[in-house]
Amino acid sequence: MLAVREINLFYQHQPVLQGIDLDIFQGEILCLLGASGCGKTSLLRVIAGLEQPDAGDVLVNGHSVLDVPVHARDFGLMFQDFALFPHLNVAGNVTFGLRMHGISHPLQQERLREVLALVGLAGFEERDVTRLSGGERQRVALARSLAPSPRLLMLDEPLGSLDAQLRERLVIELRTIIKQAGVTAIYVTHDQREAFAIADRVAVMNAGRIQQIGTPEVIYRHPASVFVSRFLGLNNVLPVMSHHAGIVETAVGEFAVPGEPAAVLLHPDSLSLVNDTSERLTISGVVVERVFSGREYQLALALVTGEKLTFTISAHNGTGIPAVGDSLTAQIDPALVIPLADR
Amino acid sequence: MDTGVDRSRSPLTRLVNLRYGLLLVPLVFLAVFFFYPLISILGVSLAPEGQLNLGAFTALITSSYYRDTLVFTTVQALLSTLLTIGLALPGAYIFVRYQFPGKSLLMALATLPFVLPTVVVAAAFSALIGPRGLLNTGLMSLFSLDTPPVQLDRTLAIILIVHVFYNYAVALRLISGYWANQNPRMEEAARVLGAHGWRLWWTIRLPLLRPAVLAAAMLVFIFTFTSFGVVLILGGPRFATLEVEIYRQATGLFNLPVAGALALVQIVFMFALMVVYTRLQKRITTDIQRAEYVALPPRSRRAKLMIGLNLVMMVVLLFAPLLALVIRSFTAGDSGWTLAYYQRLTVNTRQSLLFVPPAQAISNSLVFAGITTLLALTLGLITAYLLSRRNLPLVRWLDPLFMLPLAASAVTLGFGFIIALDSPPLNLRASPLLIPLAHTLVAMPFVVRSVLPALRAIPPTVQEAASVLGASPWRVWRWIDLPLISRGLAVGATFAFTVSMGEFGASLFVVRPDTPTIPVAIFRLLSQPGAANYGQALALSVILMIVSAVGFVFIERLRTAGIGEF
């Protein structure tokens, strides 16, 4: 539906976006995930038409929209600060886009009731937007963006200014609403949990580039690079010292992985305390931390070679969980040793 | 409706060009009605006959008369400043330290004098302590005297008193505002270390207040240095500030080169003073600390006495003249209350120097103020809109340019108008439009200053949100920006209207004999003998005072209502 091709953007001679290529399919929710300053908001603004790129193109169904001014692009954008119009009430805010599109008054009212019901604010028409709670303002902003039925809905950290508890509840609701509205959406966030909860596909960004695009499961199970791995909090990254015929050598030992990776990730789920097959690789070390979090334990191992690796073990493991100070020899599942590119 | 798909390669460039086109409107206005008159003043003073002739400047330097004028201007300004600050300091002290009933109301009311037109204030003081004022007529009938016992008219004293009346609240607000934000611990530390009484004032309070006191003093000095109406009306022929002298040389003696030279001296002084003031003000705003004095009810007898003395002084100084003005306008000599002065306003007496009934001045002023408001609002709105776009190049140095008319005195503006705009290419001498044009120059900076902060306070995302929702740039302006700045616009319009209603210095130059404004009519009536003329002057002053006061209340309410709204 939307295609972004080779977008470059400079701000005061500093590159902000470098060679961005991206396809968004009809009806999907794509999430741009990255730390602040990585360029994800700038990319959103380029797509919306609020910034002109220095190179590249933005295409909707194969036609370039670069020369279409912001107000004629027929996109929706929900801002992080919501940017509600303080001089209009809830109804005035939500119907603003409909008015700008010349929709008749009765149809405006019908759509208003429809989207307010969709976001769970039925009956809020006459309320003053400056007197709403954070969560309510967020819903009004969402209803306002959805009301004109945009071809594409963009959400810029829409939960960023809300507190953590509210955020967890709203993110699931947000996905339900977007899916019910059947709108194609780009969702920008720096929060990995939020991204995984809402997105059909996630694009991880860093320093103006897209590092990896894929479903949340693929991104989490198979991070493509050292950056993505560490960004997701998967820190068991071991630099590759040498590789030879499908075997790479690290400080911890040798692993059979394809290609010529710069590093390998020992996925936190890869540790098994059960001594079942000899095929598995063993590592030994001393438990230095043990954190219980309900359904699982986090164990930090200090290896004899000096590295510190962290693994999660199911609390229903059946065997005893080693205590801090215990020596441990355990197996690594070779399927969860992930090759990482250097970047 | 939507213009549809715009296929021109760069819509941004076209928008920028459009904005520069808009910019031309206020720029051309400034060029024609501000810079061109200023240049004409330069011309008439340096080359009266078309050739360079420094005669006028030599006269200024060699003649002891002009030197005395400059000395008097400076000395009266210094004395006024010292008196004002001296009275405002204890006032600020009690406002910062103590809580007492009616405090915030008094603080708001104390600002009223500042918006009153000079002719009204001159008339008010005349009605209180002038030879025909309440004090003298009262004393004369009480003790059966033949001559007024209080002889303050045409003295330096009455000029100074009126200057204090005008500037007291300005100094009070500036100093107490700064003081209230200071850290009280510093003073407490000094007291623990043994400072008290006068030593506390000299070693701690005054040095800490120095930036605010200096800024306030500078502002009062600027206002009193350019004092015109007060000195002209109450000072009599003996006293002349630079402003008064420019007026006398230009209109009484037709000595244009000297008037021009004096105006140039005045402009140079004003610019220097404004530069110093701007620097001082910057310092005040940067070193404000976030600790606040807690105002407490007074406990000691000394504190109560001090508050009482200050309050009595404020009420007498600020409200007695205004009250006297109202009372005296309804008092007919010794025959009690009368409405005669108000009724006579509609009568065109044969011996009147106005050519028209005084009431005509009221409708003239209303029409001029209406035109001024429209012009100032239009030009001010365009200017503010462009100044709010910080990303447009050139804008940064345009900001001070549009504030320049504030630095030129009204008398200089009026003088520049009559010498620049009375001959081709621009012959407007006979046009009644000159008055609203001059008033617009004075009022426009107020409009810009009221609208600009409101425009800058609109978050860019709000405008972007409207754009994304399908609003073209024009519709963003119409449906988002305009409603959000409506309060600032109303304040600016009220400012423009009241400024125009009360403007005196420039009007006196450009007014036509048969279309006087209210202040000009008051001035003419005041300078005539006869109880009827005097009474009508006071009646007109009361009317003008009410207009200004209503405008003032309106502005104050709009401003306070704006706090915490969004």
Side-chain angles (χ1 to χ4, degrees):
Chain A
M1 186 245 149
L2 182 90
V4 174
R5 291 287 171 261
E6 290 297 319
I7 289 287
N8 282 346
L9 179 72
F10 292 85
Y11 183 70
Q12 290 175 345
H13 306 292
Q14 294 293 313
V16 176
L17 297 175
Q18 303 183 65
I20 298 285
D21 256 312
L22 198 60
D23 286 281
I24 295 134
F25 305 111
Q26 190 68 48
E28 80 168 332
I29 302 177
L30 178 92
C31 183
L32 298 178
L33 174 64
S36 66
C38 74
K40 52 194 195 303
T41 296
S42 299
L43 179 55
L44 219 55
R45 293 175 62 86
V46 166
I47 297 172
L50 294 167
E51 306 274 353
Q52 285 291 102
D54 293 290
D57 209 346
V58 178
L59 307 137
V60 175
N61 300 328
H63 300 286
S64 170
V65 293
L66 272 196
D67 291 336
V68 180
V70 186
H71 64 272
R73 284 201 186 183
D74 202 7
F75 291 169
L77 175 53
M78 191 174 149
F79 290 84
Q80 180 171 13
D81 61 358
F82 307 145
L84 295 180
F85 306 136
H87 58 301
L88 300 175
N89 60 14
V90 171
N93 267 277
V94 175
T95 55
F96 186 87
L98 303 170
R99 269 167 61 207
M100 293 302 120
H101 286 87
I103 309 290
S104 73
H105 187 75
L107 285 177
Q108 280 182 31
Q109 294 306 309
E110 198 188 317
R111 182 70 181 145
L112 170 67
R113 275 193 301 276
E114 215 173 283
V115 285
L116 283 187
L118 184 64
V119 301
L121 285 184
F124 272 62
E125 283 87 344
E126 302 305 320
R127 296 282 277 275
D128 181 350
V129 292
T130 57
R131 291 179 210 284
L132 297 179
S133 72
E136 288 164 348
R137 292 156 70 92
Q138 187 258 352
R139 286 156 197 255
V140 173
L142 180 63
R144 186 178 69 176
S145 319
L146 285 173
S149 310
R151 301 189 276 184
L152 171 72
L153 175 65
M154 291 175 277
L155 306 98
D156 186 5
E157 304 247 6
L159 305 177
S161 55
L162 305 178
D163 61 66
Q165 264 195 323
L166 194 56
R167 232 167 34 210
E168 263 185 48
R169 199 156 53 81
L170 283 179
V171 70
I172 300 157
E173 221 179 279
L174 208 51
R175 182 177 163 89
T176 316
I177 293 171
I178 294 172
K179 284 297 173 190
Q180 264 175 29
V183 62
T184 311
I186 305 179
Y187 187 103
V188 162
T189 181
H190 64 274
D191 184 317
Q192 168 210 331
R193 292 166 56 113
E194 213 177 297
F196 286 178
I198 201 162
D200 296 318
R201 283 193 306 150
V202 175
V204 182
M205 285 186 71
N206 180 39
R209 294 177 192 279
I210 292 181
Q211 295 279 335
Q212 187 179 4
I213 306 185
T215 61
E217 292 81 356
V218 166
I219 299 268
Y220 186 74
R221 285 284 164 200
H222 298 282
S225 64
V226 174
F227 171 82
V228 174
S229 177
R230 288 199 186 278
F231 183 78
L232 298 180
L234 309 174
N235 288 318
N236 295 344
V237 174
L238 302 168
V240 169
M241 297 185 299
S242 68
H243 45 77
H244 168 70
I247 303 290
V248 299
E249 192 192 339
T250 70
V252 173
E254 293 183 342
F255 301 98
V257 289
E260 299 180 357
V264 292
L265 163 70
L266 303 191
H267 211 282
D269 300 340
S270 62
L271 193 76
S272 162
L273 298 177
V274 187
N275 212 343
D276 56 354
T277 62
S278 54
E279 266 177 51
R280 297 200 176 193
L281 216 142
T282 55
I283 55 167
S284 339
V286 177
V287 176
V288 288
E289 284 167 27
R290 190 178 91 164
V291 180
F292 175 59
S293 64
R295 301 174 57 202
E296 58 195 24
Y297 285 93
Q298 265 193 19
L299 291 184
L301 293 185
L303 303 190
V304 279
T305 46
E307 278 78 12
K308 185 178 154 188
L309 302 177
T310 308
F311 298 95
T312 52
I313 308 283
S314 168
H316 309 293
N317 191 270
T319 59
I321 305 294
V324 171
D326 286 358
S327 293
L328 179 72
T329 299
Q331 284 73 46
I332 296 289
D333 181 352
L336 290 174
V337 177
I338 317 294
L340 300 174
D342 180 24
R343 253 185 302 140
Chain B
M1 264 322 294
D2 290 339
T3 49
V5 177
D6 187 346
R7 279 288 155 198
S8 81
R9 181 51 239 179
S10 164
L12 270 178
T13 326
R14 286 192 327 142
L15 214 60
V16 169
N17 287 341
L18 184 73
R19 283 172 182 168
Y20 277 116
L22 266 182
L23 188 57
L24 278 179
V25 180
L27 274 182
V28 166
F29 180 82
L30 269 195
V32 173
F33 296 110
F34 181 65
F35 290 107
Y36 175 51
L38 279 194
I39 290 168
S40 301
I41 291 178
L42 200 66
V44 83
S45 60
L46 287 173
E49 260 87 54
Q51 287 161 319
L52 189 66
N53 180 351
L54 295 177
F57 283 95
T58 338
L60 285 199
I61 296 162
T62 51
S63 146
S64 68
Y65 175 75
Y66 298 125
R67 269 209 310 270
D68 288 349
T69 303
L70 186 59
V71 168
F72 172 74
T73 310
T74 315
V75 167
Q76 62 83 23
L78 274 178
L79 288 175
S80 307
T81 307
L82 281 177
L83 265 176
T84 309
I85 301 291
L87 284 174
L89 265 177
Y93 179 78
I94 66 154
F95 267 92
V96 170
R97 288 309 175 78
Y98 299 116
Q99 192 59 51
F100 47 88
K103 181 173 153 180
S104 50
L105 179 72
L106 192 62
M107 187 59 137
L109 282 179
T111 323
L112 176 66
F114 195 64
V115 299
L116 289 181
T118 47
V119 282
V120 170
V121 174
F125 272 89
S126 164
L128 180 67
I129 49 176
R132 293 177 280 188
L134 277 187
L135 188 63
N136 275 318
T137 50
L139 288 174
M140 279 158 75
S141 66
L142 202 62
F143 298 106
S144 314
L145 302 171
D146 294 330
T147 50
V150 181
Q151 299 274 5
L152 280 172
D153 197 31
R154 308 189 169 195
T155 60
L156 179 60
I158 197 168
I159 296 177
L160 295 184
I161 292 172
V162 176
H163 283 168
V164 171
F165 168 86
Y166 251 118
N167 296 298
Y168 176 79
V170 178
L172 183 72
R173 278 204 163 186
L174 247 168
I175 296 173
S176 62
Y178 184 77
W179 205 342
N181 277 309
Q182 247 177 20
N183 188 349
R185 305 282 167 273
M186 289 189 280
E187 193 179 310
E188 287 168 8
R191 289 168 74 166
V192 172
L193 290 169
H196 68 280
W198 283 109
R199 296 190 57 186
L200 198 56
W201 277 97
W202 275 118
T203 55
I204 299 297
R205 285 183 191 147
L206 285 179
L208 284 177
L209 287 179
R210 215 174 73 124
V213 170
L214 277 180
M218 203 65 210
L219 206 56
V220 176
F221 188 84
I222 289 175
F223 288 142
T224 50
F225 188 83
T226 54
S227 181
F228 174 64
V230 171
V231 181
L232 183 70
I233 297 169
L234 295 175
R238 272 210 301 144
F239 298 110
T241 53
L242 276 178
E243 298 276 298
V244 173
E245 197 56 38
I246 295 169
Y247 172 70
R248 287 193 184 140
Q249 292 289 338
T251 60
L253 308 167
F254 295 106
N255 193 349
L256 296 186
V258 164
L262 286 168
L264 279 184
V265 172
Q266 165 89 323
I267 291 168
V268 169
F269 266 87
M270 275 299 280
F271 277 109
L273 292 173
M274 293 286 275
V275 168
V276 176
Y277 173 70
T278 319
R279 286 212 181 143
L280 283 174
Q281 205 199 18
K282 230 170 241 166
R283 240 173 59 200
I284 284 196
T285 44
T286 49
D287 55 37
I288 270 188
Q289 301 177 6
R290 287 287 155 226
E292 282 212 15
Y293 272 99
V294 179
L296 299 168
R299 261 186 255 140
S300 68
R301 189 175 293 173
R302 249 185 71 188
K304 283 179 186 158
L305 187 69
M306 191 166 164
I307 294 174
L309 278 177
N310 269 290
L311 293 188
V312 168
M313 194 276 298
M314 278 178 77
V315 170
V316 169
L317 175 72
L318 301 176
F319 304 115
L322 302 182
L323 199 62
L325 173 64
V326 177
I327 293 173
R328 187 66 182 76
S329 76
F330 290 107
T331 321
D334 24 58
S335 57
W337 301 103
T338 177
L339 283 171
Y341 302 133
Y342 289 89
Q343 285 156 353
R344 280 180 70 107
L345 289 179
T346 54
V347 182
N348 187 13
T349 46
R350 210 156 31 87
Q351 66 272 49
S352 162
L353 272 188
L354 290 176
F355 304 104
V356 289
Q360 181 71 41
I362 299 176
S363 57
N364 288 344
S365 271
L366 288 174
V367 170
F368 291 146
I371 301 173
T372 302
T373 307
L374 271 182
L375 277 176
L377 220 48
T378 313
L379 292 166
L381 199 55
I382 296 174
T383 311
Y385 173 72
L386 293 166
L387 291 182
S388 72
R389 312 281 125 167
R390 286 175 209 271
N391 52 344
L392 280 185
L394 299 177
V395 158
R396 212 163 299 152
W397 64 265
L398 282 177
D399 196 356
L401 186 74
F402 284 106
M403 291 300 119
L404 274 185
L406 274 186
S409 73
V411 169
T412 308
L413 284 181
F415 177 54
F417 262 48
I418 57 163
I419 61 171
L421 306 176
D422 71 339
S423 59
L426 264 174
N427 192 352
L428 294 172
R429 183 73 192 103
S431 164
L433 257 186
L434 271 188
I435 288 185
L437 285 173
H439 289 181
T440 301
L441 273 181
V442 183
M444 202 176 104
F446 286 102
V447 176
V448 174
R449 279 290 163 262
S450 322
V451 173
L452 194 54
L455 267 177
R456 285 189 173 149
I458 301 175
T461 51
V462 166
Q463 292 157 333
E464 288 171 357
S467 259
V468 174
L469 286 167
S472 60
W474 159 250
R475 298 176 119 204
V476 173
W477 166 247
R478 169 66 190 85
W479 295 109
I480 303 298
D481 295 349
L482 205 55
L484 285 178
I485 61 168
S486 55
R487 199 188 294 275
L489 267 181
V491 170
T494 317
F495 258 129
F497 191 84
T498 14
V499 161
S500 171
M501 288 296 287
E503 207 287 329
F504 177 58
S507 309
L508 202 52
F509 274 91
V510 298
V511 78
R512 291 169 70 207
D514 56 341
T515 51
T517 61
I518 300 179
V520 171
I522 295 171
F523 171 65
R524 288 192 193 152
L525 288 168
L526 272 183
S527 52
Q528 297 303 307
N533 285 331
Y534 186 66
Q536 289 181 65
L538 300 190
L540 271 182
S541 298
V542 169
I543 292 171
L544 188 50
M545 178 178 82
I546 290 169
V547 171
S548 312
V550 167
F552 167 76
V553 169
F554 190 62
I555 290 171
E556 284 287 309
R557 292 199 63 171
L558 277 176
R559 277 184 170 167
T560 41
I563 296 166
E565 271 281 328
F566 33 96

